[in-house]
Amino acid sequence: MKVSFSDLREQHDGVFRENCPTRTVLDHVMSKWGVLVLFALTDGTIRWGDLRRRIDGISEKMLSSTLRTLEADGLVSRRSYPEVPPRVEYALTDLGGELMEKLGPLMEWVAAHADDIAAAPDARRAESRVGREADQTT
C-alpha cells in the first residue's frame, strides 16, 4: 500500500497543514517518549513502575506527562486500584492498539536499520575527509 503526502491532502482537506489536529497527534504519538510508551504497552497491561523500567532513560516526570497526554488522546487507559500502596495500571485502548498495528512494522524497520543509519554520518564524514585530502594532493 503506497500512500503519498499529496494523496492524503487530496483525500482529507487541510490535513497536515499548520494548526491542523494531525500535527498535534503526530507530536504526541511520534515523539521519542510517546512512541516508546505506546510500544511498551503492546506487551499488555503494565504497572507504572514496570513501564518506567522498560523504557530506559525516561524520567518519572516525563513518563507521567507522556501517559497523561496519551490517555487524554484516548490511546492509553489508566486504571487505579484503591490499595495501599496504590496500584495503577496502563494499557492500550482499542484506538491505541489499532495505532500500534500500524506503528509495529515501523518499529521493526527502525530496529533492523538503526545501526546502519547511525553509522552512516560517520562513514560520510570519513569519505568526505578522504576526498578533501585527495583534492589537496593533486
Side-chain angles (χ1 to χ4, degrees):
M1 173 176 107
K2 183 181 178 205
V3 178
S4 76
F5 191 69
S6 298
D7 290 344
L8 279 177
R9 282 200 160 165
E10 284 179 22
Q11 294 169 12
H12 306 279
D13 187 41
V15 75
F16 301 117
R17 296 197 189 280
E18 188 176 6
N19 300 319
C20 177
T22 54
R23 292 207 183 177
T24 301
V25 172
L26 282 173
D27 182 45
H28 296 174
V29 170
M30 299 306 293
S31 70
K32 172 173 67 172
W33 300 122
V35 73
L36 289 174
V37 167
L38 290 165
F39 198 51
L41 289 171
T42 61
D43 291 332
T45 301
I46 303 174
R47 292 177 70 171
W48 190 92
D50 294 333
L51 191 54
R52 182 158 186 249
R53 282 186 285 280
R54 285 178 186 228
I55 304 171
D56 295 334
I58 194 168
S59 69
E60 290 183 11
K61 180 181 177 182
M62 187 53 66
L63 178 57
S64 294
S65 173
T66 301
L67 285 166
R68 275 193 305 275
T69 298
L70 295 173
E71 183 182 8
D73 290 344
L75 301 172
V76 170
S77 66
R78 178 185 189 273
R79 185 163 183 194
S80 180
Y81 297 89
E83 301 172 351
V84 177
R87 178 170 54 117
V88 179
E89 295 178 339
Y90 295 89
L92 292 174
T93 61
D94 290 343
L95 186 62
E98 183 182 339
L99 170 64
M100 292 315 296
E101 286 177 15
K102 306 293 185 191
L103 278 181
L106 172 63
M107 298 302 283
E108 288 177 8
W109 186 91
V110 169
H113 298 286
D115 289 340
D116 293 336
I117 292 170
D122 293 334
R124 283 193 296 273
R125 278 194 289 278
E127 284 178 16
S128 178
R129 194 175 322 114
V130 168
R132 282 193 306 268
E133 290 170 359
D135 288 344
Q136 291 175 355
T137 60
T138 58

